Amino acid sequence: MVACYFCVMAPNMDEIFKALGEESRRKLLDLLLFRNGRTLTELCDEMPGVSRQGVSKHLGVLERAKLVKVKWRGKEKMHHLDAAPMLDTIWRWINKHQRARREKARG
């Protein structure tokens, strides 16, 4: 029953864990945490060794996971961190496993 409740409450959990599972995407999230509202060019400047196309693809994964939101400033596409879905998913994951551990200990 817990598993069903968890899946209904966190429908993009797989996307979030996929997004967090790659080092370059975690670095992009860190860059946005340090200074939110950056353009693709600004992010690329901070990611040596990753092509512009690569950074763009990583941002797409982060957007699908709802960890990055885009706002347009004139012709510039600004990328903003939204940590709420990540924090919500992580806390739900931790709580799910804590409940299971407590039930097992009682058991």
Side-chain angles (χ1 to χ4, degrees):
M1 190 74 140
V2 172
C4 294
Y5 169 80
F6 185 71
C7 292
V8 169
M9 296 306 292
N12 67 333
M13 183 177 76
D14 289 340
E15 289 91 354
I16 289 172
F17 282 116
K18 176 184 176 183
L20 296 175
E22 208 286 324
E23 182 181 358
S24 295
R25 290 192 285 269
R26 291 191 305 270
K27 182 173 181 180
L28 286 168
L29 292 174
D30 287 343
L31 290 169
L32 292 172
L33 177 63
F34 179 70
R35 197 183 89 226
N36 218 357
R38 295 187 188 208
T39 64
L40 176 60
T41 300
E42 290 171 327
L43 291 167
C44 287
D45 289 345
E46 299 284 339
M47 301 285 292
V50 181
S51 69
R52 183 178 178 87
Q53 182 181 16
V55 172
S56 183
K57 285 184 178 185
H58 287 309
L59 286 169
V61 172
L62 294 169
E63 286 177 49
R64 284 189 295 282
K66 298 178 176 42
L67 298 175
V68 169
K69 296 192 182 231
V70 171
K71 294 180 185 173
W72 288 91
R73 187 178 69 193
K75 293 183 179 183
E76 292 184 309
K77 187 177 180 181
M78 307 302 290
H79 300 87
H80 295 268
L81 172 66
D82 183 2
M86 175 178 50
L87 295 172
D88 186 49
T89 297
I90 290 168
W91 282 114
R92 288 178 191 274
W93 181 264
I94 290 169
N95 288 334
K96 172 184 161 183
H97 288 278
Q98 284 179 335
R99 277 193 305 271
R101 189 182 65 178
R102 281 192 298 262
E103 289 174 12
K104 187 176 180 181
R106 287 184 205 149

